[in-house]
Amino acid sequence: MIASIACILVPAACTLFIYNGLTQEAVKKQAVSNAQESLLLINGNVTNLLKRMLSIANYIQVNPEMTHYFKMLASGNAYEGKEDSYQKFTDTNRVIEELDSLSLMALGEHCFVTVLLTDGSYFMNYSISEYNPLQLKTEPWFENLKNLNGFQSYWTGTTPTEFQTLKVDNPYQVSVVRTLRLDNKELYGYVVVTMMENQLNQLFDRLGDHVDFMIVNGDDQIMSHRDPKKIGTKLSYLQQLQGASSSAIVPVNKENYLITKQPLNLGTTDWNLVSMQPYKQAIVNITTIFNNVFILQMSSFVVFLILLLLLLRTFTRPIMQLGKVAKLVQMGNLSVRSGVRGQDEIGRLGYSFDQMLDKVKDMIAEVSDTQARKRKAELAMLQAQISPHFLFNVLNSIRMKVMRRGDPESANMIGSLSRLLRMSVSQEQDEISLHEEIDLLTHYVDLMNMRQREEATFVLDVPSEAFLVQVPRFFLQPMVENALIHGLNRSAGLIRIQAQIENDSLILIVEDDGIGMDEEKLEALRYKLVHGEKRMAVVEGTGGGFSGIGLFNVHERMTMTFGEKFHMDVQSEPDKGTRIQMIIPIKGG
């Protein structure tokens, strides 16, 4: 009893000591996980907002009416006569209205769209008093646009707001630029989509005031922040973070901050979304949870210890009983049972143990019965094994005498009979190759054709690789015999054997074009095969042949050899014939 209590108290004390050490690391991991999830939520909103700017540029680039109009203006071939002045006015207004509706639909009233053509023409959804689009050519990044092709984008970063009425409330703006090119890649215009930077930092307010969110570029320069004064400054703490998506605890002004970084999915840009949060604030809720869990664990441990002392003896008694029974079973006594029952774990264990012994005993009986049935099936094939060597020698002597007398047909008939008898009484091999089995069938069909008034045609459709598969000896003969006697009714007809290898299995089909069976007889046959009934009038052999095993014995023998992987299916229609398909697993496949 004392040893049991010590075995519990000592590990418990060690666990509490280790728990205190691991709690801090667990708190840190959880805080980092929470920060990454929050940043991922903001990342999705920011990325969607910026991608909607790209959607506006995409729409203008792929709109056939707008691009056609822009190309005409850029080439200088449009509206040459005075009569076209009104048409030019109409087309220009239509483009401006479409730009207005496009910006309102995508982002609201604070999105500015500009189309600047190389001939100096421009279209925008704002007044020229707000900003003259020709000033775009004076921007320091304008020369970089010549290298853009197709749907490549150039993000200008955060720049001072150029729109006069918005400068006070929106000191910064963000723009994305696309080029318009002819089919020969010649540049004829630019598409500029601009939004106010505060539309981005407004997304940062959704997750509370204790976390600072910002967007930085590849040089760690802040591009968007709640505080406009910080835009353009460099966030040097990011140098301590490793990897594209990472987190670290960094000291800032004598206080630890949890800094997390994730890249924005905007194609070729190197922009990152960054969050900064005081580490104490990040772990305050998690620490409370861990402390509550610790108190709950201690309380549970005390209760468990008390219950253990009360129930230890109750648990010990059935365990000792199970140990005694297990020792008797080890000595070979399978009839003993523990008798331990109950609703607890020990009771269920005793019940499962007794069930296992019952199942083992049943399995031993089943194996013994299976072996007995297998011996009976094999004995059914050995009824003709009386002085086999004497019988073979006599048949060969008769065959040679008949051959010398000029009767080759009778000699061949005796030769086929000799080969069949030799294989039927041979016990050297339980399995032979499919090639040997079909060779025996050929002799059997030749022998039966000599007995009948009309010959049956025996057709083989077997690929070369299937000939080498090992199969039980004489398993096809009863089905061919049934086809000759019952299917073709000893008359002329066709018997076909097909084979193919598929998914480590040999698929064999034996079919004839005889009288077949009606639905009632077919269902009776299937039922008897499945439920193991041996009295099957529809497949009984007739005197003198080699069909004593019958279709049932073939099914039973193959099932005992291959188990549940073997499958036999019988199909038949009146006056159309019978088809038997077998799926035989290839051993070692």
Side-chain angles (χ1 to χ4, degrees):
M1 181 71 71
I2 297 176
S4 301
I5 297 174
C7 289
I8 295 175
L9 292 178
V10 173
C14 296
T15 301
L16 293 177
F17 178 78
I18 296 173
Y19 177 85
N20 290 331
L22 296 179
T23 297
Q24 296 300 322
E25 184 64 24
V27 168
K28 177 182 175 181
K29 290 182 178 179
Q30 187 61 44
V32 169
S33 177
N34 292 344
Q36 289 177 344
E37 290 179 1
S38 299
L39 195 62
L40 186 63
L41 179 61
I42 293 293
N43 194 338
N45 293 333
V46 171
T47 301
N48 288 338
L49 190 60
L50 296 176
K51 283 186 175 180
R52 279 184 283 175
M53 295 176 63
L54 293 175
S55 298
I56 294 177
N58 289 343
Y59 180 82
I60 295 175
Q61 279 187 295
V62 300
N63 188 294
E65 295 181 359
M66 296 179 70
T67 54
H68 177 72
Y69 177 59
F70 295 152
K71 289 176 183 178
M72 291 179 58
L73 289 178
S75 64
N77 296 327
Y79 311 112
E80 295 180 356
K82 294 182 179 181
E83 296 180 355
D84 294 334
S85 298
Y86 178 75
Q87 184 64 37
K88 179 179 180 181
F89 174 78
T90 303
D91 292 343
T92 302
N93 283 342
R94 187 179 68 252
V95 171
I96 294 175
E97 289 176 359
E98 192 160 0
L99 294 179
D100 283 333
S101 62
L102 184 63
S103 64
L104 289 173
M105 176 184 66
L107 294 172
E109 60 183 2
H110 296 300
C111 176
F112 301 91
V113 183
T114 306
V115 178
L116 178 63
L117 303 182
T118 54
D119 68 340
S121 302
Y122 51 80
F123 303 89
M124 65 281 191
N125 62 343
Y126 53 86
S127 172
I128 194 170
S129 60
E130 288 281 354
Y131 179 67
N132 187 350
L134 294 177
Q135 294 181 13
L136 290 172
K137 295 183 178 181
T138 62
E139 295 291 339
W141 43 262
F142 192 80
E143 290 298 321
N144 298 332
L145 304 181
K146 296 180 179 180
N147 298 324
L148 298 180
N149 289 299
F151 290 97
Q152 292 179 340
S153 304
Y154 181 85
W155 291 89
T156 63
T158 304
T159 58
T161 300
E162 299 292 345
F163 298 93
Q164 299 299 323
T165 60
L166 299 177
K167 286 184 177 181
V168 176
D169 297 329
N170 305 277
Y172 293 97
Q173 66 183 31
V174 178
S175 300
V176 62
V177 187
R178 291 271 184 89
T179 57
L180 298 174
R181 294 182 180 272
L182 300 174
D183 295 338
N184 60 3
K185 305 300 182 181
E186 181 182 351
L187 179 66
Y188 73 88
Y190 309 88
V191 178
V192 183
V193 182
T194 304
M195 63 175 287
M196 297 299 104
E197 180 274 334
N198 69 345
Q199 290 183 253
L200 290 173
N201 64 56
Q202 285 174 1
L203 299 174
F204 303 155
D205 296 331
R206 299 181 180 180
L207 293 181
D209 300 329
H210 301 292
V211 186
D212 257 355
F213 293 98
M214 64 200 78
I215 299 176
V216 299
N217 60 16
D219 298 327
D220 297 338
Q221 187 177 15
I222 298 176
M223 301 179 59
S224 180
H225 196 279
R226 293 173 182 169
D227 185 0
K229 296 180 181 179
K230 293 186 179 181
I231 295 178
T233 62
K234 191 170 183 179
L235 190 65
S236 58
Y237 311 114
L238 292 181
Q239 297 176 359
Q240 302 184 40
L241 275 67
Q242 298 179 354
S245 297
S246 57
S247 300
I249 298 176
V250 179
V252 180
N253 298 329
K254 298 182 180 181
E255 183 179 3
N256 287 335
Y257 275 77
L258 176 59
I259 301 179
T260 304
K261 178 180 72 172
Q262 288 181 1
L264 290 174
N265 185 18
L266 290 175
T268 58
T269 63
D270 55 0
W271 295 2
N272 294 286
L273 185 63
V274 178
S275 68
M276 288 184 62
Q277 183 181 16
Y279 185 64
K280 291 182 179 180
Q281 187 65 38
I283 66 173
V284 60
N285 294 330
I286 306 174
T287 304
T288 301
I289 294 174
F290 272 94
N291 290 336
N292 293 335
V293 171
F294 176 76
I295 295 173
L296 179 62
Q297 287 179 337
M298 288 299 299
S299 302
S300 301
F301 173 76
V302 173
V303 174
F304 171 76
L305 183 60
I306 295 174
L307 292 176
L308 179 64
L309 295 175
L310 296 176
L311 300 177
L312 189 58
R313 290 191 179 184
T314 305
F315 289 155
T316 303
R317 199 170 287 121
I319 291 176
M320 293 179 63
Q321 175 66 18
L322 283 174
K324 292 179 181 179
V325 173
K327 189 173 181 180
L328 292 174
V329 172
Q330 186 180 10
M331 296 172 62
N333 185 0
L334 295 179
S335 62
V336 66
R337 299 294 181 267
S338 68
V340 176
R341 298 291 184 269
Q343 298 300 319
D344 57 2
E345 289 77 4
I346 302 300
R348 290 194 289 270
L349 178 61
Y351 178 74
S352 299
F353 186 74
D354 290 347
Q355 273 195 327
M356 180 191 69
L357 293 178
D358 292 338
K359 188 172 183 180
V360 169
K361 193 172 181 180
D362 292 341
M363 290 177 64
I364 292 175
E366 183 179 351
V367 170
S368 300
D369 181 65
T370 301
Q371 293 296 329
R373 288 164 56 201
K374 187 174 181 180
R375 285 193 295 270
K376 289 180 180 179
E378 291 175 349
L379 287 175
M381 299 176 57
L382 304 178
Q383 295 176 354
Q385 190 179 9
I386 301 175
S387 301
H389 296 290
F390 171 75
L391 183 59
F392 297 153
N393 292 334
V394 171
L395 286 174
N396 284 329
S397 299
I398 296 173
R399 175 176 171 274
M400 296 302 297
K401 288 182 178 182
V402 172
M403 181 70 74
R404 284 195 295 268
R405 291 180 181 178
D407 190 358
E409 182 177 355
S410 298
N412 290 335
M413 185 175 181
I414 296 173
S416 297
L417 176 62
S418 176
R419 291 186 184 91
L420 288 173
L421 289 174
R422 185 182 297 274
M423 179 54 67
S424 68
V425 300
S426 175
Q427 290 295 302
E428 296 178 359
Q429 292 178 315
D430 290 333
E431 294 183 353
I432 59 176
S433 66
L434 183 62
H435 177 271
E436 295 176 281
E437 178 74 8
I438 291 179
D439 186 49
L440 290 172
L441 283 180
T442 303
H443 290 299
Y444 174 73
V445 174
D446 291 342
L447 190 62
M448 294 298 290
N449 281 336
M450 294 176 185
R451 294 179 57 195
Q452 300 177 165
R453 294 186 303 274
E454 298 177 341
E455 292 188 0
T457 302
F458 187 53
V459 178
L460 296 176
D461 183 9
V462 182
S464 57
E465 63 270 15
F467 279 120
L468 302 179
V469 177
Q470 296 293 309
V471 295
R473 182 168 50 92
F474 248 90
F475 80 105
L476 287 176
Q477 182 272 334
M479 287 179 282
V480 174
E481 181 180 8
N482 286 331
L484 286 168
I485 298 175
H486 300 290
L488 301 180
N489 201 17
R490 300 181 182 271
S491 302
L494 175 68
I495 299 176
R496 181 190 302 273
I497 294 183
Q498 296 176 286
Q500 63 180 14
I501 295 178
E502 183 177 325
N503 297 329
D504 295 329
S505 296
L506 173 66
I507 300 177
L508 271 176
I509 299 174
V510 180
E511 58 182 341
D512 62 69
D513 59 354
I515 61 176
M517 291 179 283
D518 58 27
E519 188 67 24
E520 182 179 356
K521 289 184 178 181
L522 179 61
E523 290 300 324
L525 172 60
R526 290 173 177 169
Y527 178 84
K528 292 171 183 176
L529 284 177
V530 173
H531 294 84
E533 297 187 18
K534 296 185 179 181
R535 294 183 178 180
M536 297 181 291
V538 292
V539 293
E540 286 182 349
T542 56
F546 288 84
S547 59
I549 298 176
L551 187 60
F552 170 79
N553 276 342
V554 173
H555 183 273
E556 184 180 32
R557 184 180 173 202
M558 297 296 284
T559 302
M560 288 191 297
T561 303
F562 298 102
E564 295 181 356
K565 293 184 178 180
F566 171 77
H567 178 71
M568 175 184 287
D569 180 54
V570 182
Q571 302 287 339
S572 183
E573 293 185 30
D575 301 325
K576 291 188 178 181
T578 301
R579 182 178 186 270
I580 302 175
Q581 175 177 296
M582 294 177 289
I583 300 178
I584 304 172
I586 299 176
K587 294 186 177 180

